[in-house]
Amino acid sequence: MGIVYLNGQYLPDSQALISPLDRGFTYGDGVYEVIRVFNGKPFLLAEHFGRLADSCAKARIGAYLTPLEEVPARLLEKNGLAGDALVYIQVTRGTAPRSHVFPPPETKPTVFAMAWAFTPNPAWAQGMITILEPDVRWSRCDIKVTSLMPNSFSAQRAKELGAHEGLFVRDGVVQEGTLSNFFAVVGGEVRTAPLSNYILPGITRAVVLDLCEEHGIPSRETQVFATELAQVEEVFLTSTVYDVAPVRSIDGRALPAEHPVADRIIALFREVVRRECF
Ligand code: PLP
């Protein structure tokens, strides 16, 4: 990883040491963000730091003392990353003797960040192959927590079945992907699950909904049921890692090869990236 950030210091990854009693290690007790970098410039930085602050507040993880907004740019510079990259930032509840109850309030959160060069998988633009997965996650999916075992299980199962992404279904509703938000086009209308404790408030999702509104593309935050998937015209996924990616198949059933609504949104999203980062 080269140079990483740990608790206020920039240092080689081999020297970034964390106690095994860190609650991120013993309890998976932390929150995180992944920020996309285009052309050496962090994209939607304020939105990611806003969500990180929200995650900390919801998880009752105390304020990290040093401001972190400068960390992505400094990590990029220190690692010579001038093109496309990802930055990962994690905040845990800190190091404390193992106990289910929270450590004393003076316990300092642990803050770790790293950056690496990133190129999207070209296969994604051709259409994601997806599978449906029972949503066995906890009921606070609105918090971006580091305890990602259910997401990891589903991502691994998708990979083993030759798919790119698993789509979580809870109470018959397609909620979101293992690392993405889910959109379907039904009767010309773009639909995505409403914000709730069952989905992450995706930053790319919000950009797409804003673009729909701005450009007169009909859209609605409403549940899409798994039983409706046979009738949908298009499906696409949004995330920091995927951008906006059309879906080619769900559980082996092909979706229409043409996806004009997704194509339009992809073009509009690229415009936003160009405007912000180039
Ligand atoms: N849903 C889940 C479960 C995720 O992990 C992610 C991103 O990692 C998303 C949705 C998409 O969110 P964003 O667009 O902010 O990357």
Side-chain angles (χ1 to χ4, degrees), residues 32 48 51 137 144 151 176-181 200-205 238-241:
Y32 75 105
H48 283 283
R51 186 170 63 187
R137 298 174 299 165
K144 200 162 168 65
N151 306 58
E176 61 178 346
T178 71
L179 57 101
S180 59
N181 289 109
L200 186 78
I203 286 168
T204 323
R205 172 189 181 279
T238 64
S239 87
T240 295
V241 172

Short mmCIF file of all heavy atoms in Angstrom, two decimals, residues 32 48 51 137 144 151 176-181 200-205 238-241, ligand 1:
data_model
loop_
_atom_site.label_atom_id
_atom_site.label_comp_id
_atom_site.label_asym_id
_atom_site.label_seq_id
_atom_site.Cartn_x
_atom_site.Cartn_y
_atom_site.Cartn_z
N TYR A 32 -16.66 3.37 7.85
CA TYR A 32 -15.65 3.65 6.82
C TYR A 32 -16.27 4.40 5.65
O TYR A 32 -17.49 4.54 5.55
CB TYR A 32 -15.00 2.35 6.33
CG TYR A 32 -15.88 1.51 5.40
CD1 TYR A 32 -15.64 1.47 4.03
CD2 TYR A 32 -16.97 0.80 5.90
CE1 TYR A 32 -16.44 0.71 3.18
CE2 TYR A 32 -17.78 0.05 5.06
CZ TYR A 32 -17.51 0.01 3.70
OH TYR A 32 -18.31 -0.72 2.86
N HIS A 48 -18.75 12.50 1.02
CA HIS A 48 -18.22 11.33 1.73
C HIS A 48 -17.91 11.68 3.19
O HIS A 48 -18.19 10.88 4.09
CB HIS A 48 -16.99 10.78 1.02
CG HIS A 48 -17.34 9.99 -0.21
ND1 HIS A 48 -17.82 8.70 -0.14
CD2 HIS A 48 -17.32 10.31 -1.52
CE1 HIS A 48 -18.07 8.25 -1.37
NE2 HIS A 48 -17.77 9.22 -2.23
N ARG A 51 -21.12 11.84 5.11
CA ARG A 51 -21.66 10.52 5.48
C ARG A 51 -20.81 9.87 6.57
O ARG A 51 -21.34 9.17 7.44
CB ARG A 51 -21.76 9.61 4.25
CG ARG A 51 -22.46 8.28 4.58
CD ARG A 51 -22.79 7.47 3.35
NE ARG A 51 -21.59 7.08 2.63
CZ ARG A 51 -21.59 6.47 1.45
NH1 ARG A 51 -22.74 6.19 0.85
NH2 ARG A 51 -20.46 6.15 0.84
N ARG A 137 -28.39 -9.39 6.45
CA ARG A 137 -27.67 -8.38 7.23
C ARG A 137 -28.50 -7.90 8.42
O ARG A 137 -29.71 -8.12 8.48
CB ARG A 137 -27.33 -7.19 6.33
CG ARG A 137 -26.41 -7.54 5.19
CD ARG A 137 -26.23 -6.37 4.26
NE ARG A 137 -27.48 -5.93 3.66
CZ ARG A 137 -27.66 -4.78 3.04
NH1 ARG A 137 -26.64 -3.94 2.93
NH2 ARG A 137 -28.82 -4.46 2.52
N LYS A 144 -22.57 2.92 7.49
CA LYS A 144 -21.52 2.27 6.67
C LYS A 144 -20.50 1.63 7.60
O LYS A 144 -19.44 2.19 7.88
CB LYS A 144 -20.89 3.31 5.73
CG LYS A 144 -20.16 2.68 4.55
CD LYS A 144 -19.94 3.69 3.46
CE LYS A 144 -18.97 3.21 2.40
NZ LYS A 144 -19.42 2.06 1.62
N ASN A 151 -22.10 -9.09 3.50
CA ASN A 151 -21.79 -8.55 2.16
C ASN A 151 -20.69 -9.39 1.51
O ASN A 151 -20.74 -9.70 0.32
CB ASN A 151 -21.33 -7.09 2.26
CG ASN A 151 -22.31 -6.23 3.01
OD1 ASN A 151 -22.63 -6.50 4.16
ND2 ASN A 151 -22.82 -5.19 2.37
N GLU A 176 -30.69 -3.49 -2.27
CA GLU A 176 -29.45 -2.92 -2.83
C GLU A 176 -28.49 -4.05 -3.12
O GLU A 176 -28.80 -5.22 -2.84
CB GLU A 176 -28.83 -1.91 -1.85
CG GLU A 176 -28.43 -2.50 -0.51
CD GLU A 176 -27.76 -1.49 0.42
OE1 GLU A 176 -27.36 -0.41 -0.03
OE2 GLU A 176 -27.66 -1.80 1.62
N GLY A 177 -27.33 -3.73 -3.68
CA GLY A 177 -26.31 -4.74 -3.95
C GLY A 177 -25.36 -4.89 -2.77
O GLY A 177 -25.48 -4.18 -1.76
N THR A 178 -24.40 -5.82 -2.89
CA THR A 178 -23.46 -6.02 -1.78
C THR A 178 -22.57 -4.80 -1.59
O THR A 178 -22.07 -4.58 -0.50
CB THR A 178 -22.56 -7.27 -1.98
OG1 THR A 178 -21.62 -7.01 -3.01
CG2 THR A 178 -23.36 -8.50 -2.32
N LEU A 179 -22.37 -4.03 -2.68
CA LEU A 179 -21.62 -2.78 -2.55
C LEU A 179 -22.15 -1.72 -3.49
O LEU A 179 -21.40 -0.88 -3.99
CB LEU A 179 -20.10 -2.99 -2.73
CG LEU A 179 -19.59 -3.61 -4.02
CD1 LEU A 179 -19.05 -2.54 -4.96
CD2 LEU A 179 -18.50 -4.61 -3.73
N SER A 180 -23.46 -1.75 -3.70
CA SER A 180 -24.03 -0.80 -4.67
C SER A 180 -25.51 -0.59 -4.36
O SER A 180 -26.12 -1.39 -3.66
CB SER A 180 -23.90 -1.37 -6.08
OG SER A 180 -24.55 -2.63 -6.17
N ASN A 181 -26.06 0.48 -4.90
CA ASN A 181 -27.53 0.69 -4.85
C ASN A 181 -28.14 0.18 -6.14
O ASN A 181 -27.51 0.16 -7.21
CB ASN A 181 -27.85 2.16 -4.62
CG ASN A 181 -27.53 2.60 -3.21
OD1 ASN A 181 -26.58 3.34 -2.98
ND2 ASN A 181 -28.30 2.13 -2.23
N LEU A 200 -27.96 1.51 2.34
CA LEU A 200 -27.00 2.59 2.55
C LEU A 200 -27.45 3.80 1.72
O LEU A 200 -27.82 3.64 0.55
CB LEU A 200 -25.61 2.15 2.08
CG LEU A 200 -24.51 3.14 2.41
CD1 LEU A 200 -24.12 3.02 3.88
CD2 LEU A 200 -23.30 2.95 1.54
N PRO A 201 -27.42 5.01 2.32
CA PRO A 201 -27.72 6.19 1.51
C PRO A 201 -26.54 6.47 0.57
O PRO A 201 -25.63 7.24 0.88
CB PRO A 201 -27.90 7.30 2.56
CG PRO A 201 -27.17 6.83 3.77
CD PRO A 201 -27.12 5.33 3.73
N GLY A 202 -26.55 5.81 -0.56
CA GLY A 202 -25.42 5.87 -1.49
C GLY A 202 -25.23 7.29 -2.03
O GLY A 202 -26.20 7.98 -2.36
N ILE A 203 -23.99 7.67 -2.15
CA ILE A 203 -23.68 9.00 -2.68
C ILE A 203 -23.91 9.04 -4.19
O ILE A 203 -24.45 10.01 -4.73
CB ILE A 203 -22.26 9.39 -2.24
CG1 ILE A 203 -22.33 9.72 -0.74
CG2 ILE A 203 -21.70 10.54 -3.06
CD1 ILE A 203 -21.03 9.85 -0.04
N THR A 204 -23.56 7.98 -4.86
CA THR A 204 -23.81 7.91 -6.31
C THR A 204 -25.32 7.86 -6.57
O THR A 204 -25.82 8.47 -7.52
CB THR A 204 -23.12 6.67 -6.91
OG1 THR A 204 -21.86 6.48 -6.26
CG2 THR A 204 -22.89 6.83 -8.40
N ARG A 205 -26.04 7.14 -5.72
CA ARG A 205 -27.52 7.06 -5.80
C ARG A 205 -28.11 8.47 -5.77
O ARG A 205 -28.97 8.82 -6.58
CB ARG A 205 -28.04 6.23 -4.63
CG ARG A 205 -29.54 6.19 -4.45
CD ARG A 205 -29.89 5.52 -3.11
NE ARG A 205 -31.33 5.44 -2.87
CZ ARG A 205 -32.06 6.45 -2.41
NH1 ARG A 205 -31.48 7.61 -2.12
NH2 ARG A 205 -33.36 6.31 -2.24
N THR A 238 -25.47 1.56 -8.88
CA THR A 238 -24.64 2.75 -8.68
C THR A 238 -23.73 2.51 -7.48
O THR A 238 -24.17 1.95 -6.48
CB THR A 238 -25.49 4.00 -8.41
OG1 THR A 238 -26.21 3.84 -7.18
CG2 THR A 238 -26.47 4.28 -9.53
N SER A 239 -22.50 2.94 -7.60
CA SER A 239 -21.61 2.95 -6.43
C SER A 239 -20.35 3.73 -6.76
O SER A 239 -20.04 3.98 -7.93
CB SER A 239 -21.25 1.54 -5.96
OG SER A 239 -20.14 1.05 -6.65
N THR A 240 -19.63 4.06 -5.70
CA THR A 240 -18.35 4.76 -5.85
C THR A 240 -17.41 3.96 -6.73
O THR A 240 -16.62 4.52 -7.49
CB THR A 240 -17.74 4.95 -4.44
OG1 THR A 240 -18.62 5.82 -3.72
CG2 THR A 240 -16.36 5.53 -4.49
N VAL A 241 -17.49 2.64 -6.62
CA VAL A 241 -16.58 1.78 -7.38
C VAL A 241 -17.11 1.51 -8.79
O VAL A 241 -16.36 1.52 -9.76
CB VAL A 241 -16.39 0.45 -6.59
CG1 VAL A 241 -15.62 -0.58 -7.41
CG2 VAL A 241 -15.65 0.72 -5.28
N1 PLP B 1 -24.81 -0.06 -0.73
C1 PLP B 1 -23.80 -0.68 -0.10
C2 PLP B 1 -24.11 -1.84 0.80
C3 PLP B 1 -22.47 -0.25 -0.28
O1 PLP B 1 -21.46 -0.86 0.37
C4 PLP B 1 -22.21 0.83 -1.16
C5 PLP B 1 -20.86 1.32 -1.39
O2 PLP B 1 -19.89 0.80 -0.96
C6 PLP B 1 -23.30 1.42 -1.82
C7 PLP B 1 -24.58 0.97 -1.57
C8 PLP B 1 -23.08 2.56 -2.78
O3 PLP B 1 -22.78 3.75 -2.10
P1 PLP B 1 -21.87 4.87 -2.75
O4 PLP B 1 -22.52 5.30 -4.02
O5 PLP B 1 -21.85 5.95 -1.74
O6 PLP B 1 -20.53 4.25 -2.99
#
